[in-house]
């Protein structure tokens, strides 16, 4: 059967999609990029915030219309929205033939079997947040990557044990559970044999890795093992946590040559009062001390973070504290989200008392502040000589190559455009030395040396 697949949401969800695609191929099914030719339409959904839920619903409805155009075509919904709103989806969108949550990835291929009757594919739904998912893939699990050939995500753990007031992830993904070092290194070696040169390690809290298994120093030990994998050039860590990033983790990032000097540390706020209501450990002072320690140990580090504005009870003074913190620290990359009032979270019991217009205004103000910080920093980099990876031609300029510095992650961070360079002469995945010669807002311009 031909399978048309739509993957929504974060890289962690993308890995789930790649695993499902791999399972489908192993069963002899064909993956098609043309949904109109598919026998089975699959939507792997996201449900983290309201905007993501709307995108998932819109995509499901779009595929439901496409389903009607061919007799016998099936529509399968998987992922976080399926885990969270299984019964509602079955009731409101009868075109759906099968629903599989985040813990049912291996069962997904059942929906692809020819001759299986619609509406007989649903398992008995658990009580949401009680029967938690416990699935996680391993090195032997089939996987069909959809990222460019030279980089790949590795999910080193699944789930989360924190109870941040704004977050529904623990209920959708289950308790934190780490893979073994051996499994991850085996997968990394296999990816390297396929031409992958950059590994991006992901989980809900990457610095919690191994703690659930009672393993002290597990993440540094994993990094040292991955650093020895032949063919890998860069190792990047995403989704670190401010209270579990320890000195041995920082030392490993500083000392290992393949681990890029890049730290993605979602802080969410800088007002102590807001952090307390968010149920986030740490304070502005402890965050400041941590960031100072990181920069002292890794002077060339690129710091990325995210913040939430408009959390219940956020005052003008709280917002001013956050704005001042951003200016004081001078992060390299900042993402700002407006608070989404999500049922099932402890914050849902609070009054969503910051008006939507105020949330939007605060978001725009912080991003404008960050643009100014980045502009100053970009100008200071002119003439700098550095190394980058070429990702391929630019989506905006087909005759221009674009790449990334060690301090830039794919998809989420700015890019570097290459000038004085023949696009046909440099293959994607090439690592080259360049000089930075210009800046265009967040992005940089460089020429090969």
């Amino acid at each position: 059967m031909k399978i048309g697949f739509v993957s929504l949401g974060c890289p962690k969800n993308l890995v789930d999609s790649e695993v499902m695609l791999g399972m489908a191929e192993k069963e002899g099914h064909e993956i098609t990029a043309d949904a109109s030719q598919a026998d089975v339409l699959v939507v792997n959904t996201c449900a983290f915030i309201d905007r993501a839920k709307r995108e998932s619903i819109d995509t499901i409805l779009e595929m439901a219309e496409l389903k009607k155009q061919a007799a016998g075509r099936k529509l399968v919904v998987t992922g976080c929205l399926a885990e969270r709103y299984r019964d509602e989806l079955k009731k409101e969108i009868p075109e759906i033939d099968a629903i599989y949550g985040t813990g049912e990835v291996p069962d997904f291929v059942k929906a692809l079997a020819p001759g299986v009757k619609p509406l007989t594919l649903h398992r008995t739904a658990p009580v949401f947040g009680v029967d938690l998912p416990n699935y996680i893939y391993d090195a032997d699990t089939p996987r069909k990557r959809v990222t460019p050939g030279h980089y790949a995500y590795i999910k080193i753990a699944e789930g989360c044990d924190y109870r941040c007031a704004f977050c529904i992830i623990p209920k959708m993904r289950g308790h934190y559970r780490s893979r073994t070092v051996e499994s991850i290194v085996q997968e990394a070696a296999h990816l390297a044999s396929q031409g992958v040169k950059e590994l991006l390690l992901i989980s809900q809290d990457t610095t919690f890795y191994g703690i659930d298994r009672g393993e002290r120093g597990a993440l540094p030990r994993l990094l040292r093992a991955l650093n020895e994998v032949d063919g890998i050039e860069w190792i990047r860590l995403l989704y670190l946590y401010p209270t579990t990033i320890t000195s041995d983790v920082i030392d490993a990032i500083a000392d290992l040559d393949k681990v890029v000097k890049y730290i993605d540390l979602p802080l969410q706020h800088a007002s102590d009062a807001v952090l307390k209501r968010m149920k986030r450990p740490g304070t502005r002072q402890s965050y400041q001390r941590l960031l100072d320690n990181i920069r002292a140990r890794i002077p060339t580090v690129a710091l990325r973070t995210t913040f939430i504005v408009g959390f219940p009870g956020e005052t003008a003074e709280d917002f001013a504290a956050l704005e001042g913190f951003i200016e004081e620290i001078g992060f390299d990359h900042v993402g700002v989200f407006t608070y989404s009032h999500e049922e099932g979270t402890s914050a849902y019991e609070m009054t969503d008392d910051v008006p939507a217009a105020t949330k939007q205004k605060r978001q725009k103000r912080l991003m404008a502040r960050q643009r100014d910080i980045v502009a100053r920093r970009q100008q200071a980099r002119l003439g700098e000589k550095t190394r980058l990876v070429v990702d391929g031609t630019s989506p905006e300029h087909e005759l221009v190559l674009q790449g990334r510095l060690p301090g830039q992650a794919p998809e989420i961070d700015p890019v570097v455009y290459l000038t004085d360079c023949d696009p046909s002469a440099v293959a994607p995945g090439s690592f080259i030395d360049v000089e930075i010669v210009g800046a265009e807002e967040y992005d940089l311009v460089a020429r090969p040396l």
Side-chain angles (χ1 to χ4, degrees):
M1 300 183 75
K2 291 184 178 180
I3 314 300
F5 208 103
V6 180
S7 183
L8 304 172
C10 66
K12 296 179 286 290
N13 215 40
L14 178 65
V15 172
D16 290 345
S17 296
E18 293 179 337
V19 166
M20 285 187 276
L21 288 170
M23 291 177 171
E25 279 199 336
K26 184 179 180 182
E27 293 295 319
H29 301 292
E30 178 185 347
I31 311 301
T32 177
D34 185 356
S36 67
Q37 300 300 312
D39 301 304
V40 181
L41 301 167
V42 184
V43 183
N44 192 24
T45 59
C46 179
F48 181 51
I49 58 176
D50 187 60
R51 185 174 59 196
K53 289 187 290 185
R54 288 198 302 270
E55 181 185 21
S56 293
I57 292 294
D58 289 345
T59 303
I60 294 170
L61 293 174
E62 180 184 348
M63 294 300 105
E65 288 300 312
L66 193 58
K67 174 191 173 180
K68 298 175 183 177
Q69 298 176 14
R73 181 175 285 165
K74 297 178 185 178
L75 174 58
V76 180
V77 176
T78 65
C80 291
L81 195 76
E83 184 70 38
R84 188 174 180 185
Y85 296 110
R86 184 187 307 266
D87 292 338
E88 292 87 343
L89 287 170
K90 290 166 66 175
K91 178 181 178 181
E92 298 297 331
I93 310 179
E95 292 87 353
I96 298 174
D97 296 300
I99 298 176
Y100 294 101
T102 57
E104 301 168 283
V105 172
D107 298 327
F108 150 79
V109 292
K110 296 177 183 177
L112 308 182
V116 176
K117 295 181 180 180
L119 301 180
T120 64
L121 300 169
H122 306 286
R123 73 175 175 93
T124 302
V127 178
F128 173 61
V130 176
D131 297 334
L132 295 175
N134 58 20
Y135 173 76
I136 184 169
Y137 81 109
D138 59 31
D140 296 322
T141 305
R143 180 178 171 189
K144 178 181 176 63
R145 288 189 301 109
V146 297
T147 53
H150 57 284
Y151 70 80
Y153 296 97
I154 293 184
K155 193 187 292 190
I156 66 172
E158 180 61 278
C160 185
D161 287 344
Y162 288 105
R163 292 295 180 265
C164 302
F166 54 81
C167 186
I168 197 69
I169 291 296
K171 292 185 177 180
M172 290 193 293
R173 292 282 177 175
H175 293 297
Y176 197 95
R177 48 206 186 273
S178 302
R179 294 171 59 190
T180 64
V181 169
E182 293 75 19
S183 174
I184 297 167
V185 172
Q186 181 183 343
E187 183 181 14
H190 177 65
L191 291 169
S193 72
Q194 295 178 328
V196 169
K197 298 181 179 179
E198 179 180 2
L199 301 177
L200 297 103
L201 308 186
I202 56 174
S203 72
Q204 300 301 330
D205 171 9
T206 300
T207 40
F208 198 82
Y209 173 76
I211 294 177
D212 60 305
R213 302 165 65 94
E215 300 174 2
R216 290 183 173 273
L219 183 57
R221 188 161 58 253
L222 172 63
L223 293 176
R224 286 191 290 270
L226 291 174
N227 202 67
E228 298 301 318
V229 175
D230 291 337
I232 297 301
E233 298 273 351
W234 283 357
I235 301 167
R236 187 181 306 275
L237 289 83
L238 298 177
Y239 311 112
L240 310 184
Y241 203 80
T243 51
T244 51
I245 180 169
T246 53
S247 58
D248 58 348
V249 173
I250 297 171
D251 288 343
I253 296 172
D255 296 338
L256 296 173
D257 62 309
K258 293 183 181 180
V259 179
V260 295
K261 312 317 173 196
Y262 176 98
I263 291 183
D264 172 35
L265 198 68
L267 297 177
Q268 310 305 0
H269 216 280
S271 160
D272 290 353
V274 174
L275 288 169
K276 184 176 181 179
R277 288 197 300 277
M278 285 181 167
K279 297 183 180 178
R280 296 282 291 185
T283 63
R284 172 175 175 155
Q285 185 178 19
S286 67
Y287 290 173
Q288 175 86 54
R289 187 163 55 247
L290 170 63
L291 295 168
D292 288 345
N293 289 340
I294 290 172
R295 280 181 165 154
R297 185 68 180 87
I298 316 172
T300 60
V301 70
L303 292 174
R304 175 179 178 80
T305 193
T306 54
F307 295 110
I308 297 172
V309 294
F311 188 80
E314 183 188 63
T315 64
E317 291 75 17
D318 293 324
F319 176 74
L322 174 56
E323 185 176 19
F325 183 73
I326 289 177
E327 180 68 41
E328 182 178 353
I329 298 299
F331 293 95
D332 297 273
H333 312 295
V334 170
V336 181
F337 298 90
T338 55
Y339 169 71
S340 181
H341 206 48
E342 296 297 318
E343 59 184 334
T345 65
S346 60
Y348 196 70
E349 305 301 319
M350 305 177 186
T351 302
D352 188 12
D353 56 357
V354 180
T358 301
K359 294 177 185 177
Q360 294 290 339
K361 182 179 179 181
R362 290 176 179 176
Q363 180 193 42
K364 290 179 180 178
R365 183 176 175 87
L366 287 188
M367 292 312 299
R369 177 75 69 183
Q370 178 64 12
R371 275 196 303 274
D372 293 341
I373 294 170
V374 170
R376 294 195 299 268
R377 185 160 295 175
Q378 303 289 59
Q379 289 301 312
R381 300 192 71 168
L382 298 183
E384 177 184 332
K385 294 177 177 60
T386 185
R387 193 169 185 239
L388 60 71
V389 62
V390 176
D391 284 330
T393 56
S394 167
E396 291 82 17
H397 313 283
E398 61 181 16
L399 297 179
V400 176
L401 285 174
Q402 75 176 41
R404 290 176 292 110
L405 304 176
Q408 295 171 325
E411 304 297 331
I412 57 174
D413 290 334
V415 299
V416 179
Y417 296 107
L418 287 170
T419 186
D420 299 331
C421 180
D422 178 4
S424 64
V426 185
S430 299
F431 286 79
I432 62 174
D433 294 320
V434 300
E435 178 184 4
I436 297 174
V437 296
E440 298 179 357
E441 293 190 352
Y442 286 106
D443 300 319
L444 291 165
V445 180
R447 66 174 183 85
L449 291 173

